[in-house]
């Protein structure tokens, strides 16, 4: 949980916890990475938007990018991207890939995704580890 000074309040009582981020139906397994050159924590979330059936038969995946000054927040969404028709999921930043561009206050990085689960087992399947290059920039340093 958080107090008014945005400091972590640790507890062993699961009934006393406070969520640090909530977005109903749009949260997944979180991967948080500290981007040292930008002095920010970045968290990627993914979800399959409706409509989809009970077997998650979807042709779209949406990724949300959040940033925060501390691991407990406050978190702010700063970017969203959609993949159609792929079912790309579980994006994560490779920490060793982060390079800082001092002249532009930006970082280049590689994101990995588990691929398109919808094509699993097909000969030319996109269901494999796939890398994407991203640039993240800040204007408040």
């Amino acid at each position: 949980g958080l107090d008014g000074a945005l400091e972590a309040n640790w507890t062993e009582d699961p009934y006393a916890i406070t969520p640090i981020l909530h977005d109903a139906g749009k949260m997944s397994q979180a991967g948080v990475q500290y981007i040292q050159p930008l002095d920010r924590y970045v968290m990627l979330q993914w979800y399959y938007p409706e409509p989809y059936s009970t077997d998650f038969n979807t042709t779209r995946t949406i990724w949300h990018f959040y940033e925060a000054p501390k691991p407990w927040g406050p978190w702010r969404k700063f970017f969203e991207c959609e993949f159609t028709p792929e079912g790309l999921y579980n994006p994560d930043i490779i920490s060793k890939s982060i390079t800082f561009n001092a002249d532009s206050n930006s970082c280049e990085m590689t994101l990995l995704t588990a691929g398109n689960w919808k094509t699993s087992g097909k000969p030319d399947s996109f269901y494999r580890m796939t890398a994407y290059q991203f640039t993240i920039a800040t204007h408040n340093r």
Side-chain angles (χ1 to χ4, degrees), residues 11-94:
T11 180
E12 294 180 7
D13 180 1
Y15 298 103
I17 62 172
T18 303
I20 61 171
L21 181 61
H22 178 77
D23 197 356
K26 298 179 181 178
M27 303 300 292
S28 62
Q29 179 177 338
V32 176
Q33 182 70 46
Y34 180 64
I35 311 296
Q36 191 276 329
L38 301 179
D39 193 28
R40 304 308 279 178
Y41 290 85
V42 173
M43 175 174 33
L44 280 69
Q45 292 290 302
W46 63 273
Y47 70 98
Y48 301 126
E50 293 190 43
Y52 54 78
S53 63
T54 55
D55 63 355
F56 292 95
N57 185 17
T58 182
T59 58
R60 298 168 49 218
T61 305
I62 296 178
W63 291 3
H64 286 174
F65 291 69
Y66 293 89
E67 61 88 20
K70 304 282 184 192
W72 50 84
W75 290 96
R76 179 186 69 87
K77 183 169 62 171
F78 69 91
F79 184 69
E80 177 179 309
C81 59
E82 180 175 327
F83 295 92
T84 304
E86 295 85 11
L88 301 175
Y89 66 100
N90 282 350
D92 203 4
I93 298 170
I94 302 174

Side-chain angles (χ1 to χ4, degrees), residues 117-136:
W117 61 272
K118 294 183 69 162
T119 61
S120 176
K122 296 182 180 172
D124 51 352
S125 174
F126 194 47
Y127 191 76
R128 61 184 175 271
M129 193 65 66
T130 305
Y132 290 91
Q133 295 302 122
F134 273 79
T135 302
I136 295 178

